[in-house]
Structure formats: structure tokens, C-alpha cells
Amino acid sequence: MTTTAPATRRVPAGGGPRAVLVTGGAGFLGGALCARLLEEGWRVTALDDLSSGHAENVPAGCDFIHADVREPITGRYDVILNLASPAAPADYMRDAVRTVMTNVTGMAQVLDAARRDGARVVQASTSEIYGDPDDALQSEAYVGRTSPVGPRAAYVEGKRAAEALCAAYARQHGVDVTIARIFNVYGPGTNPADGRVIPQFIGAALRGEPLVVNGDGSRTRSFCFVDDFTAAFAALIDAPVGLGPINIGNSEEVSIGELAQLIVELTGSRSEIRLAPPIPDEPRQRRPDIALAQRVLGWRPEVDLAKGLRLTIDAFRGVSSE
Ligand code: NAD
């Protein structure tokens, strides 16, 4: 985790397509990643228990294992991308114990399989591990300000523990693991009903219902379009060994009040924007420092918020008119 070596391509001994396992492959991001990796010529297997994901998200041509990531992984893979975890607050709060254990026990199963087979692991961590940050720009060096017992702790601390396990397996067992700290991703394919802010606002605007902003609207977030996310994750597969945690996101920061206004404008909606009490334990600001990703992966986000929202709104109109 601490040394940097040249990039190595993970090519199987006998040649042929490389084998990748995407845990959480029936989710929003996992499904999009499976599709991209299939296009790149990988042999792709999605593993998912369908607790918040949907079998329809697994693209044609992708093998599917209906299983819990907390169980031992039996197949052999060159790369394991670990995305299995509830991610929307409603999902991760519903069964908080399961959320912690998916992130801890599931992570251990992934790392054990990688240790056994010499696979590379890319862990889908989250900007949430920074908690309520002191600095306006969050770099990978920031260690975070989180509560181990707050309402979001099952997810936040579960992800922090997963990072700790990655670091421990790397140091103690030499497992090749990269931690990607993902900042809010959105786009077509987002579950319209999972309560995350962009699908929630677009849905309300299209139905002509109020857009409910919790707090005074000044909290900020930085939203990354799904295609930019999959490009970054695909690049991470061949990133230098021992890279250390890396932020993946778009540094275009927007307040939640501005976001609501933008969505009302882009949808042409007559919806009002309504303020509601703040949600406890919610971070005030989120903006990734992506200098490391730009330098090491040669990657930068290409879709700005207005364009990404237009594409998402178009997709939602398709969904709602079916
Ligand atoms: P999602 O809910 O759409 O996908 C998560 C998938 O994991 C689902 O298909 C679910 O069924 C599966 N899953 C959950 N528990 C499991 C278990 N025990 N065994 C097997 N499968 C299980 O969420 P998403 O937005 O696609 O997020 C994917 C990953 O990316 C998560 O790990 C999340 O923490 C991380 N992440 C996402 C975002 C974002 O903005 N979407 C931001 C930061 C991090």
C-alpha cells in the first residue's frame, strides 16, 4: 500500500480473456462496470445477493452468481472489484448490522480469495469515510471526522473497517489491493426509488411535486457522472501496485439548493423547492481533490453536471413514460 511500482497488466498465464469478478454486480455501479468491462473484452462474472440490486442490471454476456459476499468465494479471478454493499442511506440503515458485516466479513472473503489466487482487488470505498470534513477540498491524506455511533455509522465505519482490512492484508500478506474513495455518482441506471438526492429531485420535478431540501440548502456535494466513474475504475485495474487510497469523483461542487434549482430548470418543472429540517449527522461539504487520479491514471471527468443531469433526466422520462 505504501510503495509505488510500475503498472503491470494482469494477464492470465494461459492467455485468453482476463477474468474479473464484480461483487455487487447487479447494482447501479456494478452493472455499469460489468457492461464496460465486457466491452473491453474481459470475462466478467457478477456476484450479488440482489438485496438492493436487480438482476436486470447484469448485462447480457456476463455470468451471474446469486450469492452473499460474506460467504467464501470459490471461483478463480485475475481481478476482483468489490462493490457489494448497500449504498443508499435507506438501504444501509434498514439492516445496519448486515451493512457492517457485509463491509467487514465480505471484504475479508474478497481479500482471502485474492490472497489464495494472486488476484488484484479494487475496493469501492467512499467519500463518506471523510465524515464531516474540516477542509473544503478532501485529499487522500485527510483522515476524516466521523462518528462510530452516529446514524450513518454502519456504512461509514463499515467502509473504514474495510479500508483497514485492505491495508492489513496488503502489509501482512502482500495482497495487491487498491482503495478507491468514490464521491457521489449519478446517471441513467440510478434506482429512481432509492432516495438518493439526484433521483429523488428528478422524480419529484417530473411529477410536479415539491423538491424537499433538508437544511438551508447550503450543504455541498460533488457529483460524478456514471460513465466517468466506470472509466476511472477500469483504469484502476491496471494502475501501479501499492498506489494507496485514491479519490474518484468530479470536483465541480454544488450546493443542494443550487442542485434543486438546476433540476427544476432542466426539467422545465413548476415544482416548488421546499426547506425541511436538516438530517442529523450529514456532512456539510464534499469536494474531492482528484490530482492523484489525474496524475496516476491520466483520467479526468468529462461530463459536467448540467450535461450529466440532462442525460439522466432523459433516461428518467423514458422510465416514467413506460
Ligand atoms: P447499489 O445498492 O445499487 O449496489 C450495491 C449492490 O451490492 C446491490 O446490487 C446489492 O444487492 C449488493 N449487495 C449488498 N450486500 C450484499 C451482500 N452481502 N452480498 C452480495 N451482494 C450484496 O449501490 P451502488 O450505488 O451501485 O454502490 C456500489 C458500491 O459503490 C457500494 O459499495 C457503495 O458503497 C460504493 N459507492 C457508491 C457511491 C455512489 O454514489 N453510488 C459512492 C461511494 C461509494
Side-chain angles (χ1 to χ4, degrees):
M1 296 281 301
T2 49
T3 55
T4 304
T8 45
R9 293 194 74 81
R10 263 137 278 279
V11 180
R18 298 186 289 173
V20 60
L21 177 70
V22 181
T23 76
F28 165 43
L29 299 186
L33 259 178
C34 288
R36 177 167 183 129
L37 294 172
L38 282 171
E39 277 171 20
E40 290 185 5
W42 286 82
R43 204 168 72 236
V44 184
T45 304
L47 181 153
D48 203 296
D49 69 353
L50 302 181
S51 52
S52 64
H54 302 277
E56 308 82 70
N57 287 340
V58 179
C62 183
D63 291 333
F64 180 62
I65 301 172
H66 188 184
D68 192 314
V69 73
R70 290 173 291 175
E71 301 298 325
I73 293 168
T74 50
R76 296 180 74 88
Y77 304 94
D78 302 294
V79 175
I80 306 176
L81 308 180
N82 186 36
L83 283 84
S85 166
D91 290 334
Y92 69 64
M93 288 180 187
R94 190 177 307 121
D95 186 343
V97 173
R98 187 181 171 285
T99 298
V100 176
M101 298 314 289
T102 291
N103 277 293
V104 177
T105 315
M107 186 81 251
Q109 295 291 6
V110 165
L111 291 163
D112 280 336
R115 183 183 177 199
R116 180 192 65 211
D117 299 334
R120 160 166 279 199
V121 174
V122 183
Q123 160 63 359
S125 190
T126 168
S127 59
E128 293 292 307
I129 67 104
Y130 295 125
D132 194 14
D134 298 306
D135 296 331
L137 189 68
Q138 291 94 58
S139 83
E140 291 87 352
Y142 183 59
V143 292
R145 199 158 74 92
T146 64
S147 163
V149 293
R152 305 158 75 89
Y155 182 69
V156 176
E157 303 299 326
K159 288 285 184 183
R160 289 178 68 95
E163 287 203 11
L165 263 182
C166 289
Y169 270 72
R171 289 198 189 99
Q172 199 170 322
H173 300 307
V175 173
D176 174 10
V177 50
T178 301
I179 294 165
R181 293 182 179 152
I182 306 163
F183 287 63
N184 299 56
V185 184
Y186 72 102
T190 312
N191 180 353
D194 76 8
R196 285 184 261 196
V197 65
I198 287 184
Q200 190 184 315
F201 281 179
I202 293 177
L206 292 178
R207 291 189 299 271
E209 295 168 3
L211 278 65
V212 179
V213 172
N214 293 100
D216 63 4
S218 64
R219 279 180 301 120
T220 69
R221 293 292 180 271
S222 301
F223 296 98
C224 181
F225 190 66
V226 61
D227 292 357
D228 285 328
F229 159 81
T230 54
F233 235 73
L236 275 174
I237 290 176
D238 290 310
V241 175
L243 183 59
I246 184 165
N247 287 340
I248 301 298
N250 188 321
S251 42
E252 181 185 357
E253 190 177 21
V254 64
S255 76
I256 299 300
E258 289 164 346
L259 176 72
Q261 190 58 47
L262 186 58
I263 288 176
V264 167
E265 283 166 23
L266 291 173
T267 51
S269 172
R270 291 169 174 266
S271 291
E272 60 163 321
I273 296 170
R274 193 179 286 172
L275 298 184
I279 296 172
D281 209 20
E282 281 238 311
R284 284 162 296 146
Q285 51 190 4
R286 278 271 179 276
R287 183 169 174 236
D289 179 345
I290 54 171
L292 181 64
Q294 289 179 332
R295 194 174 71 245
V296 177
L297 306 180
W299 167 88
R300 65 177 66 240
E302 288 178 358
V303 181
D304 67 25
L305 184 61
K307 181 176 177 194
L309 285 176
R310 272 191 210 98
L311 292 166
T312 311
I313 290 164
D314 286 350
F316 273 48
R317 283 194 207 276
V319 168
S320 56
S321 63
E322 273 172 8

